[in-house]
Amino acid sequence: MAVSGLLEVDDLHVSYGRIRAVQGVSLTVPDAAVVALIGANGAGKSTLLRAISGIIRPHRGAVRYLGEDLVGLPVHQIVRRRVIHVPEGRGMLARMTVLENLRLGGFALKGAGHGKSDLERVFALFPVLRERRAQLAGSLSGGEQQILAIARAMMARPRLLMLDEPSLGLAPLLVREIFRIIPRLTAEGTAVLLVEQNARMALQCAAYAYVLQTGRVVLSGRAADLLAAPEVQHAYLGAG
Amino acid sequence: MEFLAFLVVDGVLAGAIYALVALAFVVVYKASRMINFAVGDWMMLGSRMVASGIHGVGLGLGGALAFGCVGMVAVAMAFDRVVLRRLFSRSLLTLIMVTIGLGIFMRGSAALVFAGLPGGIARPLPLDPLVIVGVPVAVEKLVAAAIAGACIGALSWFFHGSRTGLALRAIASDQQVAMAVGIDLHRHFAIAWGLVGVLSVLSGTLWSFVAGGGFGIELLGLKVFPIVIVGGLDSFPGSIIGAFIVGILESLTAGYVDPLVGGGFSHVASYLVLMAALFVRPYGLFGRPDIVRV
Ligand SMILES: Nc1ncnc2c1ncn2[C@@H]1O[C@H](COP(=O)(O)OP(=O)(O)O)[C@@H](O)[C@H]1O
Ligand SMILES: [Mg+2]
């Protein structure tokens, strides 16, 4: 997979004090493609996303996005480049309304005036949010909050969207609802880096995939190939 | 009965200005959890700048207010650039100590810079009190309170109707999330301090209208703690209500208790309320339980 991509992570190392969470990861996300990142709990998936979005600073390696190294840029500068991270646990502003959360999603977009049409687009996609727009985000159910988190990210018109465990804790019906959105995003030109415990669904909707184990990439390739690979089936898909 | 009404009205009018002072405190606390121990010194400096605009530069009241706002916003920006950004990663306690240091610095440099300039701000108003349904009301207090009320209204619009206000509320609600949606925290901390500068000019000037100008104003800052602790540190409506409670309480104790004990009790009364409030509801009447006290 030596394709040159929208995002190229090169030999990234990230530590929390003495804990070396990511140890030399390289990966590529092509434009408008879905790339899945799977691996057991503690493998370093969330840490990798945090390093890309600037929340933590890697101590080695590069995060090249459209040819520019993002390492060292403040978070809001990275968001302005339309690299949007929906973190684990969704990161809602619980005491603000659904509408305010959505408005904030588009905060980094400079030229005003887009807000209205983006809002309409999101409401058309997720009618439940229109109904609940005046409600406090903290009063939504877990599934609705996840939908709001993704909708808020869409308000920023992401070029690269990073979703961290979007299906965590959701009922199967809602999980399908979430996964239904992903192809629509790529159709509009958004690339998606998808971290998932639900490896089967992730591999089914992704073009490429990486398997992370204790901070290192142990397998990578086309998602369809990984779906069929015995070691993946055994370790991540619960097959014998 | 008439005396009681007079005292309550007087307390309410003072409360409106206190509310403005308290908001200057809460704006910063909400955004950054910093406790500004020098609100009174900001007010003092704000009103001295307006006074020097009048007496030193020869401006009218409106021009002097603008002069004061520009000056205080410049002070706020300098404080943000030179001090706060450098100390950003330090403990909250360090940052809080820094506000005390700035207050002392403001007091010292104001004494030097404004030496010889009068601190009073003449009010363009009649001196005779109005009598409303039998209760005498000082016109300057009424006007000052009305202006304070208008400022509070404008501030409330700013927080709920503007993009910057939305961002400031997001920061107050969760800094991590605010950053994640692309809000530049430092820029908005600076805006919050700029607001403190403007509010200082306004409340300092209004207080000079009613109480005369000069260096006594920094004592106004001492009233902020009972108010915001009753109101719950991070609540705008709470601190406005707290301001009226403290204003009325001071007025009542000044009218009924001070003559008996020989004066001064009215200044202590609000601190007694502060302590009572801490016992009953440690997070204030309108605050949330998750507030950590320093
Ligand atoms: N804030 C943190 N402080 C210290 N260690 C952390 C922190 N977050 C994660 N870790 C550690 O880093 C490693 C990778 O964690 P994480 O990136 O959350 O994995 P994953 O998302 O794949 O479950 C784990 O060993 C975890 O314990
Ligand atoms: Mg994780």
Side-chain angles (χ1 to χ4, degrees):
Chain A
M1 260 180 33
V3 221
S4 96
L6 178 69
L7 179 82
E8 288 177 47
V9 172
D10 183 23
D11 190 32
L12 207 67
H13 293 253
V14 191
S15 302
Y16 299 100
R18 292 174 54 204
I19 300 168
R20 295 164 54 175
V22 170
Q23 310 177 39
V25 167
S26 299
L27 62 77
T28 300
V29 180
D31 216 353
V34 180
V35 173
L37 193 58
I38 60 176
N41 236 332
K45 306 179 297 292
S46 299
T47 303
L48 184 61
L49 296 198
R50 279 183 215 128
I52 295 169
S53 61
I55 297 167
I56 27 178
R57 200 182 167 135
H59 60 87
R60 211 168 101 199
V63 176
R64 264 186 294 279
Y65 170 76
L66 293 169
E68 177 193 18
D69 191 0
L70 299 183
V71 171
L73 286 182
V75 177
H76 68 270
Q77 291 286 358
I78 294 175
V79 173
R80 268 182 212 163
R81 285 162 174 73
R82 299 200 287 145
V83 175
I84 308 296
H85 179 184
V86 177
E88 220 171 350
R90 298 158 195 145
M92 284 296 100
L93 293 162
R95 282 188 301 274
M96 296 179 83
T97 65
V98 167
L99 188 60
E100 285 170 339
N101 269 278
L102 290 172
R103 287 235 172 88
L104 282 162
F107 188 85
L109 290 182
K110 273 287 147 124
H114 304 304
K116 265 237 150 61
S117 59
D118 287 342
L119 206 55
E120 281 309 314
R121 186 172 73 108
V122 160
F123 281 157
L125 216 49
F126 311 107
V128 62
L129 296 182
R130 190 199 298 274
E131 280 164 38
R132 316 242 149 161
R133 64 187 180 277
Q135 236 169 281
L136 295 185
S139 73
L140 300 184
S141 72
E144 289 164 345
Q145 285 194 23
Q146 186 63 62
I147 286 172
L148 176 56
I150 294 174
R152 188 177 71 188
M154 287 174 66
M155 291 293 290
R157 304 184 169 184
R159 181 89 190 260
L160 172 65
L161 179 63
M162 301 190 284
L163 300 175
D164 198 347
E165 313 244 11
S167 74
L168 196 69
L170 300 190
L173 205 68
L174 273 165
V175 175
R176 239 169 292 142
E177 168 95 351
I178 302 275
F179 273 88
R180 175 182 69 87
I181 303 155
I182 294 175
R184 299 193 62 140
L185 289 169
T186 51
E188 291 172 6
T190 301
V192 179
L193 180 54
L194 174 65
V195 166
E196 257 298 340
Q197 289 274 320
N198 191 334
R200 186 182 304 277
M201 287 198 81
L203 290 174
Q204 278 166 353
C205 89
Y208 305 97
Y210 293 80
V211 180
L212 223 57
Q213 206 172 71
T214 56
R216 292 194 175 85
V217 175
V218 291
L219 263 177
S220 66
R222 298 172 51 81
D225 296 342
L226 288 190
L227 206 48
E231 57 268 55
V232 173
Q233 293 212 328
H234 183 75
Y236 301 102
L237 301 176
Chain B
M1 203 46 218
E2 203 173 87
F3 186 51
L4 176 67
F6 167 77
L7 292 177
V8 170
V9 169
D10 212 52
V12 167
L13 297 181
I17 301 179
Y18 292 174
L20 216 48
V21 181
L23 290 178
F25 174 92
V26 177
V27 160
V28 162
Y29 181 81
K30 273 180 89 88
S32 62
R33 293 288 177 261
M34 257 180 89
I35 290 178
N36 183 3
F37 272 110
V39 198
D41 298 290
W42 282 75
M43 307 291 146
M44 178 276 297
L45 196 60
S47 73
R48 294 290 299 205
M49 281 202 188
V50 175
S52 69
I54 293 170
H55 305 299
V57 187
L59 298 167
L61 182 57
L65 279 172
F67 175 81
C69 286
V70 170
M72 287 307 285
V73 168
V75 168
M77 295 302 119
F79 177 53
D80 177 65
R81 279 292 140 109
V82 178
V83 182
L84 291 180
R85 282 190 201 216
R86 279 173 212 211
L87 298 180
F88 180 63
S89 49
R90 303 295 182 81
S91 77
L92 211 47
L93 197 60
T94 311
L95 293 174
I96 289 165
M97 301 306 279
V98 161
T99 68
I100 300 176
L102 177 70
I104 294 168
F105 177 74
M106 281 176 166
R107 226 176 283 188
S109 47
L112 283 176
V113 173
F114 301 120
L117 277 175
I121 302 170
R123 42 180 189 255
L125 293 168
L127 287 172
D128 292 335
L130 274 167
V131 180
I132 302 170
V133 279
V135 180
V137 180
V139 177
E140 70 273 13
K141 289 190 183 175
L142 191 62
V143 170
I147 296 174
C151 295
I152 292 167
L155 197 65
S156 160
W157 173 84
F158 171 73
F159 271 93
H160 290 274
S162 78
R163 193 179 127 87
T164 305
L166 181 66
L168 283 169
R169 283 191 296 130
I171 293 172
S173 167
D174 187 326
Q175 287 192 359
Q176 297 302 315
V177 178
M179 249 192 327
V181 297
I183 294 169
D184 180 349
L185 291 189
H186 287 293
R187 196 179 123 79
H188 286 84
F189 291 155
I191 291 173
W193 281 99
L195 273 176
V196 176
V198 170
L199 287 169
S200 303
V201 168
L202 295 171
S203 54
T205 303
L206 293 179
W207 194 250
S208 303
F209 277 0
V210 301
F215 284 93
I217 288 190
E218 60 262 25
L219 299 177
L220 189 54
L222 293 180
K223 305 195 193 286
V224 113
F225 294 99
I227 293 171
V228 295
I229 283 176
V230 168
L233 285 180
D234 69 341
S235 159
F236 286 127
S239 50
I240 292 169
I241 294 170
F244 285 116
I245 291 176
V246 167
I248 293 170
L249 186 80
E250 273 185 0
S251 176
L252 290 179
T253 47
Y256 289 120
V257 186
D258 279 0
L260 303 178
V261 299
F265 184 73
S266 56
H267 298 295
V268 188
S270 52
Y271 280 87
L272 293 179
V273 171
L274 178 157
M275 285 192 269
L278 285 180
F279 277 114
V280 183
R281 273 175 76 92
Y283 39 89
L285 292 182
F286 303 90
R288 294 187 319 272
D290 58 333
I291 291 172
V292 181
R293 294 192 178 277
V294 181

